[in-house]
Amino acid sequence: MNAAHLDHVNLRIPESRVDDAVNFYRETLGFRLEDLDAYQAGDRPIFSVRLSATSIIHLSPSESFEPPEARNFDHVAIVVEETIEEVKAELGDAGVGIERESTPKGATGTAPAVYIQDPFGYRLEIKSSHAEI
């Protein structure tokens, strides 16, 4: 097999907290949502957070949601175009706390990142596409 890219990640969220997901992923982080209207109309069981032309996060509302546990989930890494200083400023302006900062090595190399949590306990690594100098 010759993989091209990671297409999507599927995260369960509490069915009763879809508004929290919309507020966090669209309003706070600024990502575009897809199929929210279809989900709300009962036509689709999920809706999606568009990260790039080739990558999305499916959000699957579930009555039986259980928060992720450290022993079976660590984080989803998202590379952004902004510098890490711009990311930290945007998160600070939005009132999002940063758990920690690091310079991890990933698929696109080593670059600065911050770690935050979404409203459901999922840790997100927000990694700058700008490598440290």
Side-chain angles (χ1 to χ4, degrees):
M1 281 188 244
N2 295 306
H5 59 84
L6 184 65
D7 186 81
H8 70 275
V9 173
N10 194 329
L11 302 179
R12 288 183 183 223
I13 63 171
E15 190 172 70
S16 63
R17 296 186 57 202
V18 168
D19 288 343
D20 291 338
V22 170
N23 287 334
F24 184 76
Y25 286 98
R26 183 175 65 193
E27 307 304 328
T28 301
L29 297 184
F31 294 121
R32 191 174 86 233
L33 298 183
E34 296 180 354
D35 297 321
L36 180 60
D37 291 340
Y39 166 76
Q40 291 171 328
D43 296 332
R44 284 187 52 92
I46 64 173
F47 61 100
S48 302
V49 179
R50 174 62 63 183
L51 301 175
S52 71
T54 61
S55 184
I56 58 177
I57 297 174
H58 289 313
L59 296 178
S60 300
S62 172
E63 285 182 21
S64 60
F65 170 79
E66 292 184 27
E69 297 178 21
R71 69 175 189 253
N72 61 13
F73 177 84
D74 192 74
H75 68 275
V76 173
I78 302 168
V79 175
V80 297
E81 296 295 326
E82 293 84 359
T83 67
I84 203 64
E85 294 308 320
E86 291 169 323
V87 168
K88 291 192 300 189
E90 288 180 37
L91 293 172
D93 289 347
V96 177
I98 294 172
E99 282 186 357
R100 68 183 173 96
E101 296 181 41
S102 182
T103 308
K105 182 175 184 179
T108 58
T110 302
V114 295
Y115 296 79
I116 62 174
Q117 280 204 8
D118 82 353
F120 317 108
Y122 293 109
R123 183 177 297 117
L124 305 176
E125 174 187 315
I126 309 295
K127 183 177 180 179
S128 176
S129 61
H130 300 271
E132 284 191 334
I133 298 174

